[in-house]
Amino acid sequence: MFENVGPASDIAKGTALQVEVDGVEIAVVHADDDNFYAVRDECSHASVALTEGEVDGCMLECWLHGSRFDLRTGEPSGPPAIDPVATYPVEIRDGDIYVSTKPSNGVEP
């Protein structure tokens, strides 16, 4: 099941927006590769919002300690985070972003 989280035009390339999907805070990211990705909006290391961090390519960096997460897999690129964040399938339909209510990488939100 997918939920509509708003127009794709609301998220500029290289930025992230926090949305709520099925009661879970999700970071929807318009990455530098022009694709949209969705990950749990909480760093697995420090429990802070990833949407406050920087987008670099297909990575989202936590603003607090610098952990970087691959938007495609949820995997951290190195310490201090060692656990991945949940990733969610994204579809663009008629200019709107739809995010799945179920993680795609097996990590629970």
Side-chain angles (χ1 to χ4, degrees):
M1 182 165 149
F2 283 77
E3 285 189 25
N4 184 334
V5 298
S9 59
D10 283 356
I11 307 175
K13 188 185 286 190
T15 65
L17 177 69
Q18 184 184 78
V19 299
E20 188 174 309
V21 175
D22 201 27
V24 178
E25 292 178 343
I26 305 290
V28 178
V29 181
H30 189 175
D32 292 337
D33 67 358
D34 212 25
N35 289 311
F36 289 86
Y37 299 94
V39 299
R40 174 77 165 98
D41 192 19
E42 183 177 71
C43 178
S44 62
H45 168 254
S47 298
V48 298
L50 291 173
T51 48
E52 296 180 23
E54 298 290 322
V55 177
D56 182 19
C58 285
M59 303 293 282
L60 182 56
E61 183 175 331
C62 177
W63 63 270
L64 189 57
H65 296 116
S67 293
R68 293 167 48 93
F69 296 91
D70 188 313
L71 294 166
R72 299 162 292 196
T73 65
E75 292 293 328
S77 64
I82 57 171
D83 295 318
V85 294
T87 59
Y88 297 82
V90 175
E91 294 180 1
I92 306 298
R93 301 180 198 159
D94 297 323
D96 286 338
I97 302 168
Y98 288 79
V99 176
S100 175
T101 58
K102 302 291 182 204
S104 59
N105 64 345
V107 175
E108 288 301 313

